[in-house]
Amino acid sequence: MLTLTGKSVFSGVAIGPIQFYKRPENIIKRYHIEDIPAEKKRFEDAKATALQQLHELYERALGEVGEGGAMIFEIHQMMLEDLDYCDSICNIIESQKLNAEYAVGTTSDNFSAVFAAMDDPYMQGRAADVRDVSERVLGILTGVSASTAGLTAPAIIAADDLAPSETVQLDKSKVLGFITRRGSASSHTAILARTMGIPAVVNAGDALDESFDGHTAIIDGFSGTVYIDPDPETERLLREKKRQDEERRALLLELRGEENITLDGRRIQVYANIGSPADVGAVLQNDAGGIGLFRSEFLYLESDNFPSEEQQFAAYRRVAETMAGKKVIIRTLDIGADKKADYFGLEPEDNPALGYRAIRICLTRPEIFKTQLRAICRASAFGKLAVMFPMIASLSELQQSKAILAEVQEELRSEGLPFDPSLETGIMIETPAAALISEQLAKEADFFSVGTNDLTQYTLACDRQNQKLEPFLDPHHPAILRLIKLAADNAHREGKWIGICGELGADPALTELFLAMGIDELSVSPAMVLPLRKRIRSADLHKLSPELLAPYQL
Ligand code: PEP
Ligand code: MG
């Protein structure tokens, strides 16, 4: 038995075989072949498998993001069946007597170059699709696939680290949990695991070797421990812990339908955070009062190209309709830093967390922003949506964002497309600057939601991605709590509400303090909604010392 210790990102116990996450090797071997029909058959077989995978992805995406979002997989299937594309591959195999991998790689380069050189931006976009489809076939031919698409049975995913875009594409129905050698507990990958309710341990160290592929592992998400090839006694103990955890969660379900009210009668909204329409099931199951943070950028990360207005509209509408009149706060695109998608063409930066991200991208590439705002506004006719801008650091950024929103609403009005004209418009308080000028911002925003993950990173000057800084990344630091209190006071002075949607909102050690500060809403991962409700229902604000808030007064 090997015991590894890392950082837990979601409590819970997972038991199952390890499967290593593989990324494609971009080096394509070129070698001569003798048996041409056999090599062509290798390609045909790989193509058939790829078509099957794309069909399954289409079905899954249809359920998760609707027809608009699923369409890309249909296009990929069509591309893979394109006669010119297939002829080119077979021709290279036949005339040059070269292997299928080389033929696919070369055809991919040639065809994508042709598309990229076209004038029409739509056709240029197809270059990425050709590469994507070809990567899939290459992955099948070489046995090195960039995903867990080949997962046939539930497994624990192991990796060096996972990017948010990779995590979001995991087949959640088959992922029991995941372990990474590196990574920090406040990264977006960790947040996704929490949202998905998957036991996960990050930063488990180099002993997590690929030779353990297929071996049984147990993740103890309570202690951040991973046991590989567990001995019978450890397995027995952990199975018992798993059973108890499941029992505790079942008990919590009895709190469904109950109010989020303290013993002395103070009510607070408890909402949930999501990354995709697929998470709405967990939101409803855990009885959240609404969605306090829809990280819309994950729609972009799941995609190979900019999601169109229709694709986004379908996703937002589905969430709005499913939530049936409960509030859904859609945060506009927060791409950049650790959340990257190739098609944005973002340049490498020395300090990505302090870089070109979120609202900064939206305000300088308004065509991207407007497409998203149009989709959100159109979906607002189907439920109770609110929009929220990330990474605001100045009043003018909020004013510019609102001006673009107003422009979009005017366009929709003139096109006769319905939307909710009273759409609430809020901002994230996640830069110290925003907290410090919250007095002005509160006059222009309908609400605030504190992003404690970034607020902590920027206030303490600690990169949230850097695992070495975790001992210094103290989210209870009085500087952060003071900024939250300041923002809360300023919001309330203007009659606006304030919530917390960063991970700190779920910290039971701070629940009473947040209630005492007058925080109106806490938005947490779906699995934390009921534990938080339990915590609130046992709080008694009357019993708190009047001095509780004194250290946080600015
Ligand atoms: C935050 O920064 O606290 C937040 C909620 O946003 P994200 O974690 O997506 O950066
Ligand atoms: Mg943030």
Side-chain angles (χ1 to χ4, degrees):
M1 178 170 87
L2 176 71
T3 307
L4 307 174
T5 327
K7 277 262 167 196
S8 164
V9 298
F10 182 74
S11 56
V13 177
I15 306 178
I18 295 183
Q19 171 149 349
F20 262 83
Y21 185 82
K22 295 171 189 153
R23 294 196 177 82
E25 280 263 0
N26 287 325
I27 312 145
I28 298 170
K29 290 205 185 94
R30 174 184 184 277
Y31 56 89
H32 281 281
I33 44 109
E34 292 303 325
D35 190 343
I36 292 171
E39 199 62 14
K40 279 164 89 176
K41 184 165 184 312
R42 272 187 74 223
F43 165 63
E44 290 299 339
D45 289 348
K47 180 177 136 186
T49 309
L51 283 170
Q52 179 59 30
Q53 285 180 1
L54 286 167
H55 176 70
E56 284 163 15
L57 278 172
Y58 174 81
E59 292 294 323
R60 204 174 91 213
L62 199 62
E64 292 185 5
V65 289
E67 200 163 344
M71 211 160 64
I72 186 68
F73 299 116
E74 212 169 43
I75 295 174
H76 281 191
Q77 289 178 60
M78 276 154 53
M79 285 187 146
L80 196 45
E81 290 186 296
D82 179 80
L83 277 184
D84 291 334
Y85 176 83
C86 296
D87 282 354
S88 163
I89 292 168
C90 291
N91 191 39
I92 294 173
I93 296 176
E94 212 168 297
S95 62
Q96 302 182 41
K97 288 193 159 187
L98 287 170
N99 57 315
E101 290 86 340
Y102 178 82
V104 172
T106 306
T107 302
S108 170
D109 288 348
N110 294 343
F111 276 59
S112 57
V114 169
F115 279 121
M118 289 184 175
D119 286 338
D120 180 348
Y122 174 81
M123 295 312 277
Q124 285 171 1
R126 301 282 70 80
D129 293 322
V130 173
R131 279 196 300 271
D132 213 54
V133 165
S134 308
E135 283 293 339
R136 179 171 299 282
V137 179
L138 282 171
I140 295 162
L141 282 168
T142 56
V144 183
S145 148
S147 71
T148 52
L151 265 187
T152 48
I156 290 176
I157 303 304
D160 192 43
D161 198 357
L162 286 169
S165 57
E166 292 169 330
T167 316
V168 84
Q169 291 183 44
L170 292 174
D171 179 350
K172 288 156 211 158
S173 64
K174 305 246 172 63
V175 178
L176 297 171
F178 65 75
I179 326 165
T180 60
R181 287 195 194 106
R182 290 166 231 301
S184 106
S186 27
S187 69
H188 281 97
T189 299
I191 289 172
L192 272 171
R194 235 169 265 140
T195 309
M196 288 157 23
I198 297 179
V201 169
V202 297
N203 198 12
D206 287 334
L208 179 63
D209 194 80
E210 297 216 5
S211 63
F212 293 120
D213 202 78
H215 289 227
T216 300
I218 303 183
I219 296 178
D220 180 352
F222 293 93
S223 61
T225 315
V226 178
Y227 303 94
I228 301 181
D229 297 327
D231 59 41
E233 180 56 8
T234 307
E235 182 163 344
R236 192 190 62 74
L237 288 173
L238 269 296
R239 280 198 188 276
E240 175 56 18
K241 199 166 181 176
K242 186 171 185 325
R243 194 193 58 73
Q244 283 174 8
D245 179 46
E246 283 163 1
E247 209 170 88
R248 193 181 54 87
R249 284 182 204 278
L251 264 178
L252 277 173
L253 288 179
E254 286 177 9
L255 283 176
R256 290 185 52 157
E258 298 294 335
E259 277 191 290
N260 305 304
I261 187 167
T262 59
L263 292 171
D264 55 314
R266 170 82 207 282
R267 282 183 179 76
I268 184 166
Q269 300 287 356
V270 178
Y271 285 7
N273 297 344
I274 65 164
S276 97
D279 300 327
V280 176
V283 174
L284 296 175
Q285 198 189 354
N286 288 287
D287 196 31
I291 292 172
L293 170 65
F294 179 172
R295 287 183 163 94
S296 67
E297 57 276 7
F298 289 117
L299 294 180
Y300 291 73
L301 293 178
E302 276 176 338
S303 187
D304 302 326
N305 210 329
F306 292 102
S308 67
E309 180 182 321
E310 288 310 315
Q311 287 170 333
Q312 294 190 59
F313 168 61
Y316 304 146
R317 175 182 169 169
R318 226 178 104 213
V319 175
E321 282 179 341
T322 317
M323 290 300 291
K326 289 186 180 153
K327 194 182 286 183
V328 176
I329 302 175
I330 302 182
R331 173 176 74 186
T332 57
L333 182 64
D334 183 12
I335 207 100
D338 61 323
K339 291 179 282 195
K340 292 216 173 64
D342 287 347
Y343 59 85
F344 273 80
L346 300 176
E347 283 165 21
E349 296 174 298
D350 286 343
N351 293 301
L354 301 179
Y356 187 52
R357 60 173 287 200
I359 204 69
R360 300 166 185 181
I361 296 182
C362 289
L363 291 177
T364 47
R365 293 174 76 175
E367 69 291 353
I368 299 176
F369 197 25
K370 283 179 82 171
T371 303
Q372 179 172 43
L373 291 175
R374 277 182 65 95
I376 294 174
C377 288
R378 284 176 55 199
S380 71
F382 297 87
K384 191 159 180 231
L385 292 193
V387 68
M388 172 160 81
F389 304 123
M391 284 292 291
I392 293 290
S394 73
L395 185 61
S396 111
E397 286 164 5
L398 170 57
Q399 287 166 336
Q400 287 177 60
S401 305
K402 281 177 68 180
I404 297 176
L405 177 65
E407 217 176 282
V408 161
Q409 289 176 326
E410 200 38 57
E411 267 174 36
L412 294 177
R413 204 170 278 124
S414 64
E415 289 167 33
L417 288 170
F419 65 92
D420 173 8
S422 62
L423 181 79
E424 265 190 300
T425 308
I427 58 166
M428 304 249 335
I429 299 285
E430 53 184 346
T431 63
L436 291 168
I437 59 159
S438 52
E439 189 183 346
Q440 284 108 297
L441 293 169
K443 296 189 202 312
E444 298 262 352
D446 294 327
F447 65 90
F448 289 162
S449 186
V450 186
T452 51
N453 311 332
D454 277 317
L455 189 62
T456 306
Q457 117 164 308
Y458 296 128
T459 307
L460 303 183
C462 279
D463 180 354
R464 66 195 264 194
Q465 292 294 113
N466 187 338
Q467 68 208 43
K468 279 211 190 78
L469 297 180
E470 278 187 9
F472 301 94
L473 199 88
D474 170 16
H476 290 197
H477 194 296
I480 297 154
L481 299 170
R482 280 184 173 196
L483 291 174
I484 298 177
K485 165 96 172 49
L486 177 69
D489 290 347
N490 284 327
H492 292 148
R493 219 165 270 137
E494 291 297 327
K496 309 293 169 66
W497 66 266
I498 179 167
I500 296 179
C501 63
E503 300 300 293
L504 210 56
D507 186 338
L510 294 175
T511 308
E512 275 156 358
L513 180 66
F514 289 151
L515 283 161
M517 283 183 184
I519 297 295
D520 303 283
E521 176 244 29
L522 293 168
S523 191
V524 298
S525 55
M528 292 310 291
V529 168
L530 294 175
L532 184 59
R533 177 170 298 164
K534 190 164 185 238
R535 180 73 189 82
I536 292 165
R537 290 172 68 85
S538 68
D540 187 349
L541 301 190
H542 282 148
K543 287 207 181 131
L544 296 183
S545 140
E547 293 305 305
L548 180 73
L549 290 176
Y552 309 115
Q553 199 65 49
L554 263 185

